[in-house]
Amino acid sequence: MALPDEKVDEIRSAVDIVDVVSDYVRLKRSGQSYKGLCPFHDENTPSFHVNPEDNLYYCFGCQKGGDVFSFVQEMEGVGFVESARWLAERTGVSLPQSEAEEEAASHREAIYQALRIAGRFFYRQRTQSERGAPARRYLSERDFDAATLKTFGVGYAPDSWDALLTAAQEEHLKPEVLHDAGLIIERNSGDGYYDRYRGRIIFPIFSHIGKVVGFAGRILDADADQPKYINSPETDVYHKSDVLYGLYQGKQAIRREKAVWVVEGYTDVMALHQAGIEHAVATCGTALTPRHVQMLDRYAQRVILLFDGDEAGGRAARSGLKTVLSEGLGAYAVTLPAGHDPDSYVKEHGADALHQHVANTRSDLPQFMVNQAREAGRMQTPEDRVEVQSEVVAAVAAIPDPNLRREYVRQAADVLDVPPGDLLADLERQRDAQQQKQRRRSRRSRPSPPPPQDNGTPSASPRTPTTNEGDSQERDADRSYRVLPEERLLLRLMLEKGGRMIQYVLSHMALDEFSEGPVRKLVQCLMQMYKDGSVQPDRILRGEEGPALQQLAASVRVDEYSPSENWEHRRDIRVPRLNERPYEAAASAMTLLKLDRVDEALRDARADIRRADREGVDDLTPLQNRLMKLTNLRKHIQNRDYLNDPPTG
């Protein structure tokens, strides 16, 4: 379903790409733009740049780029329309919602709508309904204030078999959608549905961008013969291994602190936030996964695990430490005093005391593993100590960063009281074993080779690439071309200034003066738009003219550095800033590009004269005349006489 152009423009004007990208990438200001580690490929040095003025991004490492719409499409795996709706909801831009559009909406969007309506229903039941009195009383006894409950959208599911189902029918939601959203359950008899959540405090689970993706329901009656918590099942929009409770509310604080506390319960997160410790999150009924850590890596440098001090909490902390370290973040574990969880501790002792406890008692992986082993009586005999040492080294060996791995070897040696050299030898053996295991797993996961042809002779012809493979090959080939700094400037000016600038540049530049490949293709595209009387650079940035041109257009609109600053020293040509005198900047860039081309021709001409001379050619006059013409042409360009020449056509 297409969206009106004016609505797309309204969204583009309202959205802040820095805010959007910061949900995925830790950005730092760099001049007039921002930069960070690219989310599309692995890198250690930031090459991913965001231009807030034009709402563009570009990675100078992998060459991916585009506007805020294409960024959301890449990160969320959605189409343009869904990315636009996502951004509209984020910025408060209202989009038309006719009945026909509702029917045409995707199944995922229908589920999101059902979850939004359910969240509002549960919230109203807690805050406005008489049936919500038990929930209000319970939460008051737990000392949660109104602001915290509102921030987390806490609600209540009435103790009724069909309260939500009835309310959803009034909103014209189909039962099948409610079922697929995990909100209702089909009766065993097959003749209808009933509410999944009944008589429970409801904790909405938000994605990192603020969409309700699921719920957790806590029983009020502790003596009831029911599970303490009921959680949403896995759905098209909810995957426990991808979602962290409290991340949406706490991501700004996490980015500010450069650290995140991971706790076990929903109320732990709420209590910490209420006490001012807003950089806290919790998993949703599952162990900490690599996907969780990858999400946290966008905001934090360190992860601190606050788990219960019992055996189960110890296992969870040990596993979590390994997972965090394997993804390259700093990892620490904290054990609270017996009988306390983060909720009870912060309410009894206060935020300052909890901060002090964390600072005084946090342990890294080697220390934590050895402490656990000592408490379990596993450090009494030599064979026990050797076994614990092997377990610690195996955990350290899985750390991907060699520098971090080396530091942890030193720490482990101190804790275990053994020479670091002994651990290094063991670590190399462990890493070799882990890598061999990974290679075996990779081989098993590869698809089987195609069966031989009927005649038993393998085909000698290459496999015909699919459309996607062809696109990929074209992109890879295009990326091998170098874009000259003056070409970048000219492309940027034409993209930003539109028709008059395109006419100015292309009336003085021939198409073949631009580099072959995507540069020339982009110039051709702009030329055709100008001829058609409709210059729309946004079409290029949205990818409508292909991924290669989209990425090139984004790259020239996002500054990595300012190459023009050296041009005055290099060729005695000053290039003004774009916002000073754009046509003078274009003239300077055209002069440089033309000089580059004529200098190439001069080098070739001189090489031809030398070659002809070596070969004993008697008449060098034609070659010398060519050299003279090129020399005169260079003076013509240097003096900018070409600007007064007739248009090149």
Side-chain angles (χ1 to χ4, degrees):
M1 176 183 58
L3 294 174
D5 289 343
E6 60 269 18
K7 280 296 179 184
V8 174
D9 291 339
E10 185 179 352
I11 296 167
R12 183 179 285 109
S13 299
V15 75
D16 178 359
I17 192 172
V18 174
D19 182 52
V20 173
V21 174
S22 293
D23 285 344
Y24 306 85
V25 180
R26 193 184 307 122
L27 295 174
K28 291 184 178 179
R29 181 177 284 278
S30 176
Q32 298 301 311
S33 63
Y34 293 78
K35 66 180 181 180
L37 295 176
C38 180
F40 306 120
H41 79 287
D42 293 331
E43 62 177 7
N44 296 320
T45 302
S47 59
F48 181 82
H49 289 245
V50 177
N51 179 340
E53 183 177 348
D54 296 317
N55 268 342
L56 295 173
Y57 70 93
Y58 185 74
C59 175
F60 291 90
C62 70
Q63 286 81 54
K64 280 202 172 185
D67 63 1
V68 67
F69 295 96
S70 61
F71 182 82
V72 174
Q73 288 175 255
E74 287 274 0
M75 297 304 300
E76 298 297 327
V78 298
F80 175 77
V81 172
E82 191 169 354
S83 73
R85 290 193 174 280
W86 185 92
L87 290 167
E89 185 175 341
R90 183 185 184 107
T91 56
V93 174
S94 62
L95 295 179
Q97 292 289 336
S98 68
E99 187 174 345
E101 289 173 334
E102 191 62 43
E103 292 175 357
S106 68
H107 186 55
R108 282 168 57 91
E109 185 56 38
I111 290 175
Y112 279 128
Q113 183 187 22
L115 292 165
R116 285 196 301 271
I117 289 173
R120 289 197 294 266
F121 170 78
F122 292 138
Y123 186 80
R124 286 196 302 268
Q125 292 300 308
R126 180 186 67 80
T127 57
Q128 302 174 18
S129 169
E130 184 61 34
R131 292 189 292 187
R136 293 193 291 270
R137 185 165 52 252
Y138 170 83
L139 292 167
S140 176
E141 291 170 356
R142 295 288 301 269
D143 294 326
F144 287 112
D145 60 33
T148 299
L149 297 173
K150 182 178 181 180
T151 296
F152 287 89
V154 178
Y156 175 67
D159 194 6
S160 166
W161 289 98
D162 60 358
L164 175 61
L165 186 58
T166 300
Q169 288 173 343
E170 295 174 1
E171 297 276 355
H172 307 291
L173 288 176
K174 296 178 180 179
E176 294 79 10
V177 175
L178 295 171
H179 176 267
D180 290 347
L183 295 167
I184 59 176
I185 300 171
E186 189 172 9
R187 296 184 184 276
N188 291 333
S189 59
D191 61 351
Y193 300 88
Y194 61 93
D195 290 356
R196 179 181 297 275
Y197 305 103
R198 305 179 306 279
R200 291 176 177 268
I201 301 287
I202 298 296
F203 301 94
I205 299 169
F206 295 90
S207 71
H208 66 287
I209 60 174
K211 283 192 172 185
V212 179
V213 294
F215 298 96
R218 189 194 191 284
I219 196 71
L220 279 175
D221 185 359
D223 297 327
D225 187 20
Q226 295 183 41
K228 182 178 180 180
Y229 276 96
I230 291 178
N231 296 302
S232 286
E234 296 271 315
T235 68
D236 286 352
V237 304
Y238 177 56
H239 307 284
K240 290 185 289 186
S241 61
D242 292 347
V243 179
L244 288 162
Y245 184 77
L247 180 58
Y248 171 64
Q249 292 86 351
K251 60 188 177 184
Q252 298 301 333
I254 295 170
R255 185 181 291 115
R256 185 173 60 250
E257 298 289 334
K258 300 181 181 179
V260 57
W261 292 8
V262 179
V263 297
E264 292 185 279
Y266 305 109
T267 55
D268 290 331
V269 173
M270 290 170 53
L272 291 175
H273 277 244
Q274 183 168 293
I277 305 173
E278 297 179 351
H279 53 293
V281 300
T283 58
C284 299
T286 185
L288 197 67
T289 68
R291 280 286 299 135
H292 289 142
V293 182
Q294 289 160 17
M295 292 182 68
L296 293 174
D297 190 25
R298 303 167 185 170
Y299 310 98
Q301 297 175 359
R302 298 179 302 281
V303 178
I304 300 171
L305 307 173
L306 279 73
F307 288 164
D308 292 345
D310 57 14
E311 184 179 352
R315 285 197 305 270
R318 186 170 63 250
S319 173
L321 287 170
K322 293 178 181 178
T323 300
V324 174
L325 286 172
S326 70
E327 295 297 325
L329 271 71
Y332 302 89
V334 172
T335 300
L336 293 173
H340 274 298
D341 57 23
D343 180 2
S344 64
Y345 190 96
V346 77
K347 286 176 178 174
E348 182 174 332
H349 299 287
D352 290 343
L354 181 55
H355 274 296
Q356 193 64 46
H357 178 78
V358 169
N360 292 342
T361 65
R362 72 181 192 182
S363 304
D364 57 25
L365 178 64
Q367 184 69 65
F368 187 79
M369 293 181 69
V370 170
N371 288 347
Q372 277 199 314
R374 186 173 288 113
E375 291 171 6
R378 295 182 57 217
M379 296 291 286
Q380 303 299 318
T381 65
E383 56 269 26
D384 283 344
R385 290 194 292 274
V386 169
E387 183 180 22
V388 171
Q389 175 179 315
S390 180
E391 292 172 358
V392 172
V393 171
V396 173
I399 300 173
D401 184 339
N403 295 323
L404 189 61
R405 192 166 60 239
R406 186 166 53 249
E407 289 301 317
Y408 270 91
V409 168
R410 294 196 185 107
Q411 175 66 8
D414 288 342
V415 172
L416 292 164
D417 195 23
V418 298
D422 292 356
L423 295 189
L424 284 171
D426 191 10
L427 181 136
E428 291 306 317
R429 288 193 297 271
Q430 296 270 14
R431 282 191 61 78
D432 287 343
Q434 291 174 5
Q435 290 168 356
Q436 289 176 10
K437 184 178 179 180
Q438 181 61 40
R439 285 194 291 270
R440 288 195 298 271
R441 187 181 297 118
S442 298
R443 284 196 295 269
R444 286 197 298 269
S445 65
R446 288 176 190 158
S448 301
Q453 297 181 358
D454 293 342
N455 61 8
T457 304
S459 171
S461 61
R463 181 168 58 89
T464 301
T466 63
T467 301
N468 288 341
E469 290 170 334
D471 290 345
S472 176
Q473 290 168 0
E474 180 185 349
R475 283 195 299 269
D476 291 342
D478 284 342
R479 288 177 188 175
S480 66
Y481 288 93
R482 178 169 166 262
V483 186
L484 296 172
E486 50 267 41
E487 289 177 320
R488 287 188 175 277
L489 181 58
L490 289 172
L491 290 172
R492 177 170 182 171
L493 284 166
M494 288 189 285
L495 285 164
E496 289 185 351
K497 303 301 180 183
R500 291 182 62 187
M501 181 61 73
I502 294 171
Q503 190 272 338
Y504 177 71
V505 172
L506 297 184
S507 65
H508 296 106
M509 295 290 298
L511 188 60
D512 61 6
E513 290 182 283
F514 290 91
S515 298
E516 284 188 282
V519 174
R520 193 174 295 175
K521 290 176 185 176
L522 181 53
V523 174
Q524 283 179 307
C525 180
L526 291 169
M527 181 189 300
Q528 190 60 50
M529 286 183 174
Y530 176 73
K531 288 180 178 179
D532 293 342
S534 178
V535 178
Q536 300 180 51
D538 287 342
R539 284 178 46 203
I540 301 170
L541 292 165
R542 289 198 298 267
E544 294 180 22
E545 301 296 334
L549 298 195
Q550 179 191 37
Q551 291 162 10
L552 175 58
S555 77
V556 302
R557 294 278 296 273
V558 177
D559 290 322
E560 184 178 21
Y561 12 70
S562 299
S564 63
E565 290 177 0
N566 295 320
W567 291 358
E568 185 171 2
H569 305 292
R570 193 182 86 181
R571 298 283 186 86
D572 195 27
I573 296 176
R574 180 182 177 272
V575 181
R577 294 296 179 185
L578 302 189
N579 57 355
E580 291 178 358
R581 295 161 61 198
Y583 287 92
E584 174 60 24
S588 298
M590 287 190 290
T591 301
L592 280 168
L593 185 53
K594 286 177 177 291
L595 287 173
D596 281 338
R597 299 308 181 214
V598 78
D599 285 346
E600 291 172 7
L602 281 167
R603 284 193 296 271
D604 291 343
R606 293 185 182 107
D608 289 344
I609 291 174
R610 287 194 298 271
R611 188 181 307 108
D613 189 45
R614 286 195 304 269
E615 294 173 356
V617 176
D618 293 332
D619 188 5
L620 299 179
T621 303
L623 294 176
Q624 290 169 340
N625 287 340
R626 175 184 161 208
L627 182 63
M628 184 174 297
K629 287 181 180 179
L630 288 171
T631 302
N632 290 334
L633 176 61
R634 194 183 193 287
K635 293 178 182 177
H636 182 78
I637 294 169
Q638 185 75 48
N639 295 332
R640 297 193 180 187
D641 295 334
Y642 70 92
L643 292 174
N644 300 318
D645 291 344
T648 60

